[in-house]
Amino acid sequence: MKSWTATCSAVALGATLWTSASVAQTDITVAMQLEPPHLDPTSAAAQAIDSVLYSNVFEGLTRFMANGAIVPGLAKSWDISDDGLVYTFRLRDGVTFHDGTTMDAGDVKFTLDRARAEDSANAQKALYSGITDVTVIDPLIVQVTLAEPNGSLLFNLAWGDAVIVAPESIANIKTNPIGTGAFTFRNWVQGDRIELARNYSYWGPAPALESATFKFISDPTAAFAAVMAEDVDVFSLFPAPENLPQFDSDPRFQVLIGSTEGETILSTNNKVPPFDDIRVRKALAHAIDRQAIIDGAMFGYGTPIGTHFAPHNPAYVDLTGNSAHDPQAARALLAEAGYPDGFETTLHLPPPSYARRSGEIIAAQLAEVGIKAEIINVEWAQWLETVFRGENYSLTIVSHTEPMDIGIYARPDYYFRYDNPEFQELMATLNATTDQDVRLALLQQGQTILILAEDFVNGYLFQLPALSVAKAEVKGLWTNQPTAAIDLTGVTFANWNSWPAARWRQALSRTCPDDRRDAPIHRKIRSPHLRSRSCIAAFSASASLGTSRARLLLRRVFDQVRHLLSA
């Protein structure tokens, strides 16, 4: 009798579930290792800010696509004068900020004037310093005038540092960001999560997701546990690459392996002794075994680099041979520089696992040639304040994730304090050049100056891979990261009834196994009969378990319905 009751309940519930199962999930939880220090992408160099907000909350005149292409954003089109000095942007009509105010040419002027102002806190202020004037022609037309032609302007305007902001909301942007994107900011529980909601007034194609939560999990062990328990739908830039084979063999998950624009470097303060001596910097480069770092810290993921340039870029020059691992040469260079017994220094390491793990290996490699590096672990806000802005460091490890950013070496006040007039002149020529073949040659020449001219500015380690884990049903994620972004505007979930059989079996076996002592729902079901015969009771017990648990239980119920109806 009880068995018949359970079956009837399943059939009754099944009528509803056959319909509801065709409705895809519309909320998503994305985990990431780093939490933003604040929420203003136009006044900080923290990658985590763009990861959450780029395209989702804030938009620029142009934008990056998943393949790295630059396409229209808030500007629907533009014209360039024959002399390359005047860009006339035509804005999209009907765009509003999340507070209901209209986005117009005045906001574009405010944004660009703020970015290039003398007191600007924009991390990429130099990219916009060549703008001499921003003129509002009418509410939907704005003109940008340059001091000299800049073939990279449209590219630079796609950076997160150039997203359009409004004067009405700028005062509170660090805690209450108001943009024009497909999602609105809803809440920030510092130390835990940021919540976004769908923007129902969005000017563009409506996103499939109703809401999104960005969860911050810094510890690699906790990251693994969260993914395995399906507490998160996606973990972007997963911090423990040694776990990827396990996820890859599990039908519940998909592993995305791509590339970023992140050149991971042993950044060196070129003005602090003894690193102001080229011989010491060259010794540093020869002391490093890149492949050992990639194997030990990244478990084989990552591409060795010999300069500050992404290997997937057509202009890339492989210069790894110029700084090959050669401890003997490193010791000889140190002796020549007056340090036959080596010296002591410090190595500041920010939180990302690639930095902390690489740092341990590099410290051991440096010790082999006599350089004793004291490791100083710092939080991200400390790193930004002490190292990036304060330039109070000797060595550090960081991945520069900004796209094609070799131009930072033309800025003597940048945090590694490299000052080479020849390189600065080359970058000025590059900026004034629009011919793509000439630009490619200049970029290649720039890379060789950093190495072949014996400057050895930094220790070049590897191109940071984009390693992410997601549930199998998540679609539309970027595999590669042409800019630091977790763009959710095109993300969807596959319908539950389109899951492969292996996915259904895996979900059921994890949560309703034959031995139910370890099943999460076990304590919620009081009837031994129901525990042994069906997961149907899980549905009625799900109300107290939260939305994500209820959703998972619904899947279990639906699978049980399919089983009972086919019996």
Side-chain angles (χ1 to χ4, degrees):
M1 185 65 176
K2 290 181 180 178
S3 176
W4 170 251
T5 301
T7 304
C8 287
S9 299
V11 172
L13 185 60
T16 301
L17 292 178
W18 284 111
T19 301
S20 64
S22 64
V23 179
Q25 180 178 331
T26 58
D27 64 295
I28 192 169
T29 299
V30 179
M32 48 192 284
Q33 191 177 25
L34 295 180
E35 180 175 14
H38 58 73
L39 303 179
D40 178 10
T42 66
S43 67
Q47 171 189 346
I49 302 175
D50 279 348
S51 293
V52 175
L53 301 179
Y54 186 87
S55 185
N56 297 324
V57 173
F58 286 113
E59 300 172 301
L61 293 177
T62 59
R63 60 156 295 166
F64 291 103
M65 297 299 288
N67 62 358
I70 305 297
V71 300
L74 294 178
K76 65 180 182 180
S77 65
W78 51 82
D79 297 317
I80 306 173
S81 63
D82 292 340
D83 59 8
L85 296 179
V86 180
Y87 285 67
T88 302
F89 293 95
R90 289 172 175 79
L91 307 180
R92 298 185 188 275
D93 195 5
V95 178
T96 59
F97 287 99
H98 300 149
D99 60 1
T101 59
T102 300
M103 191 286 299
D104 60 21
D107 298 304
V108 175
K109 176 176 174 57
F110 170 78
T111 297
L112 296 181
D113 284 349
R114 177 172 173 264
R116 65 192 182 92
E118 185 175 346
D119 61 348
S120 171
N122 195 299
Q124 303 302 331
K125 175 182 175 181
L127 296 182
Y128 315 109
S129 61
I131 297 174
T132 59
D133 186 56
V134 182
T135 304
V136 174
I137 304 302
D138 68 33
L140 295 179
I141 300 178
V142 61
Q143 273 188 354
V144 176
T145 303
L146 308 178
E148 57 185 19
N150 185 344
S152 300
L153 181 65
L154 297 176
F155 183 88
N156 296 341
L157 291 175
W159 286 41
D161 306 83
V163 294
I164 304 303
V165 294
E168 294 87 352
S169 57
I170 201 65
N172 299 316
I173 188 173
K174 290 187 175 182
T175 56
N176 184 31
I178 294 176
T180 60
F183 296 93
T184 64
F185 170 76
R186 186 166 61 185
N187 188 33
W188 182 10
V189 180
Q190 294 194 20
D192 183 33
R193 68 189 184 275
I194 289 175
E195 299 170 352
L196 307 180
R198 181 176 172 181
N199 174 16
Y200 285 94
S201 300
Y202 185 53
W203 61 268
L209 298 173
E210 294 284 343
S211 63
T213 299
F214 287 87
K215 187 84 173 171
F216 310 117
I217 305 175
S218 60
D219 180 64
T221 302
F224 174 76
V227 175
M228 287 299 292
E230 298 189 71
D231 292 335
V232 300
D233 300 302
V234 179
F235 204 117
S236 180
L237 299 183
F238 187 75
E242 65 272 22
N243 298 141
L244 295 183
Q246 184 172 347
F247 292 128
D248 198 38
S249 63
D250 190 325
R252 292 178 294 146
F253 304 113
Q254 56 180 313
V255 174
L256 304 177
I257 300 176
S259 63
T260 73
E261 293 295 318
E263 292 82 23
T264 307
I265 64 174
L266 177 63
S267 182
T268 308
N269 193 330
N270 282 231
K271 296 298 184 183
V272 171
F275 301 110
D276 56 346
D277 189 321
I278 292 176
R279 294 168 296 183
V280 173
R281 297 200 302 270
K282 187 174 182 180
L284 200 70
H286 284 303
I288 295 169
D289 184 346
R290 294 184 186 89
Q291 195 57 52
I293 296 167
I294 293 171
D295 291 340
M298 301 300 296
F299 288 79
Y301 297 99
T303 304
I305 57 173
T307 186
H308 197 106
F309 218 75
H312 55 258
N313 192 295
Y316 176 72
V317 180
D318 185 358
L319 297 170
T320 53
N322 294 89
S323 53
H325 182 225
D326 190 343
Q328 185 175 348
R331 294 187 194 97
L333 284 162
L334 289 175
E336 181 184 334
Y339 301 95
D341 300 320
F343 57 88
E344 295 182 356
T345 188
T346 57
L347 175 59
H348 283 73
L349 300 179
S353 57
Y354 72 78
R356 297 279 171 91
R357 294 179 176 189
S358 296
E360 296 286 347
I361 297 171
I362 287 176
Q365 293 176 351
L366 295 180
E368 291 180 4
V369 301
I371 302 174
K372 301 176 182 63
E374 177 193 358
I375 289 178
I376 302 175
N377 291 328
V378 295
E379 293 306 310
W380 194 246
Q382 289 177 281
W383 189 92
L384 289 171
E385 186 63 31
T386 303
V387 177
F388 187 76
R389 285 191 287 265
E391 300 170 359
N392 183 19
Y393 80 106
S394 294
L395 299 173
T396 189
I397 297 174
V398 71
S399 189
H400 283 255
T401 56
E402 296 84 4
M404 206 166 68
D405 59 345
I406 193 172
I408 57 180
Y409 287 80
R411 293 155 56 178
D413 59 345
Y414 202 64
Y415 80 105
F416 38 72
R417 301 169 75 186
Y418 172 62
D419 190 355
N420 183 329
E422 179 188 359
F423 187 83
Q424 294 160 22
E425 183 179 349
L426 183 75
M427 288 297 102
T429 302
L430 174 69
N431 287 336
T433 302
T434 57
D435 184 283
Q436 292 305 307
D437 291 335
V438 176
R439 287 178 61 83
L440 186 143
L442 290 170
L443 286 168
Q444 292 176 333
Q445 185 182 348
Q447 294 170 68
T448 59
I449 287 177
L450 296 179
I451 297 298
L452 297 183
E454 298 290 293
D455 280 352
F456 290 87
V457 185
N458 293 309
Y460 301 102
L461 307 178
F462 57 86
Q463 195 71 16
L464 185 70
L467 307 175
S468 298
V469 183
K471 291 180 180 177
E473 56 267 29
V474 180
K475 309 297 180 185
L477 293 168
W478 286 10
T479 299
N480 299 311
Q481 289 200 356
T483 190
I486 305 172
D487 186 345
L488 299 179
T489 58
V491 171
T492 61
F493 281 80
N495 293 339
W496 299 339
N497 59 359
S498 68
W499 284 1
R503 176 70 173 96
W504 283 106
R505 288 194 298 270
Q506 188 76 25
L508 182 62
S509 65
R510 281 191 68 251
T511 51
C512 289
D514 291 336
D515 182 359
R516 286 174 175 72
R517 287 174 297 179
D518 297 325
I521 196 61
H522 176 71
R523 292 184 302 277
K524 295 289 182 179
I525 307 175
R526 297 181 179 179
S527 166
H529 176 76
L530 288 177
R531 281 203 300 268
S532 62
R533 293 292 297 165
S534 174
C535 288
I536 293 298
F539 182 68
S540 61
S542 67
S544 63
L545 296 179
T547 303
S548 62
R549 179 63 68 191
R551 185 173 64 246
L552 186 59
L553 293 173
L554 184 62
R555 296 174 186 168
R556 297 177 206 152
V557 173
F558 180 57
D559 186 71
Q560 184 68 11
V561 170
R562 291 172 58 182
H563 171 73
L564 291 172
L565 291 178
S566 62

